[in-house]
Each structure stands twice: as structure tokens, then as C-alpha cells.
């Protein structure tokens, strides 16, 4: 499989975002207020910056990304028991096992779910 730009960028993404720390802190504050005690699905989390910073406020966080290397970076934050991280391919298998009759993932990370019939 051809390596995506996101796989290439994964090891340095968090470092690159440090220049935006103030903006991210404001974002985290707003998200924490909105997700307090709720279950959160984060799509395209990259290396998990948001999940890491809202984990204590949310009941649980599931993060899924097309880029396997971004998810590998996110999994380095092991001390977050309420956060699970999956590649799009892993989510596809989970959803198929949960009874969705059609699950497609696209290279850009879009996930389409079609609920199964009775």
C-alpha cells in the first residue's frame, strides 16, 4: 500500500502543532465543556491530541483514523483508559461484526456505514 501524506507526517505532527498551542487549548476547553460525561467518536484524530486532552471529561473516546501511523502515534498515550484508538480498517471490521451490512472506507478517511436489515 502506498504511504499517505498523513503516514509520512505522523511522527512530526504533534511537534508541528506546538506552534498553535494557544488555539488548541481554547479548542480543548470548548470540547471538554461539550462532551462532559458523554461517549465521543473522533474521526481523523491524527496523533490523538484532542482525545488526549478531553479524555478526563468524556465518559469514553473512540478515535479512528485512516492513517495507521497516526494511530500508532496516538497509541503512545497509554495512560488514557477511556480512550480507544483504531485505524479505519479496524473500525470497518468492528462495524461489520456489529451487523452493518456494508462498510466502506476511503483513502481520505471517510467511513460510510449502512445498517443491516432484520
Amino acid at each position: 500500500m502506498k504511504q499517505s501524506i498523513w503516514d509520512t507526517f505522523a511522527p512530526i505532527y504533534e511537534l508541528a502543532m506546538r506552534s498553535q498551542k494557544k488555539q488548541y487549548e481554547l479548542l480543548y476547553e470548548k470540547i471538554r465543556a461539550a462532551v462532559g460525561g458523554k461517549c465521543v467518536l473522533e474521526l481523523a484524530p491524527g496523533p490523538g491530541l484532542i482525545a488526549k486532552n478531553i479524555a478526563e471529561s468524556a465518559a469514553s473516546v473512540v478515535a479512528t483514523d485512516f492513517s495507521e501511523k497516526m494511530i500508532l502515534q496516538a497509541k503512545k498515550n497509554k495512560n488514557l483508559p477511556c480512550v480507544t484508538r483504531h485505524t479505519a480498517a479496524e473500525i470497518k471490521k468492528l462495524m461489520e461484526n456489529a451487523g452493518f451490512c456494508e462498510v466502506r472506507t476511503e483513502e481520505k478517511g471517510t467511513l460510510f456505514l449502512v445498517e443491516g436489515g432484520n
Side-chain angles (χ1 to χ4, degrees):
M1 176 182 216
K2 183 176 92 174
Q3 183 163 311
S4 76
I5 186 70
W6 298 111
D7 286 336
T8 302
F9 198 42
I12 61 167
Y13 186 89
E14 192 167 351
L15 179 63
M17 295 301 103
R18 286 185 186 163
S19 67
Q20 305 296 316
K21 186 175 180 175
K22 261 187 168 176
Q23 290 84 352
Y24 270 91
E25 288 299 329
L26 291 171
L27 178 67
Y28 302 147
E29 187 177 316
K30 288 181 180 186
I31 295 172
R32 281 191 291 266
V35 302
K38 297 178 182 174
C39 297
V40 176
L41 172 62
E42 184 183 4
L43 303 174
L49 297 175
I50 293 174
K52 177 171 68 173
N53 284 281
I54 69 166
E56 290 184 13
S57 297
S60 65
V61 180
V62 174
T64 180
D65 202 295
F66 178 79
S67 168
E68 288 185 33
K69 290 191 177 176
M70 284 289 192
I71 291 297
L72 287 173
Q73 291 295 316
K75 286 181 176 180
K76 289 181 179 181
N77 297 306
K78 296 177 184 174
N79 60 340
L80 302 171
C82 75
V83 178
T84 57
R85 302 155 192 92
H86 303 281
T87 64
E90 292 168 334
I91 287 289
K92 179 180 181 192
K93 284 185 181 185
L94 289 169
M95 293 298 104
E96 287 171 344
N97 291 338
F100 287 91
C101 64
E102 185 176 349
V103 181
R104 297 183 193 162
T105 55
E106 304 295 332
E107 185 169 336
K108 292 184 179 169
T110 307
L111 183 66
F112 300 97
L113 303 176
V114 180
E115 194 169 1
N118 293 336

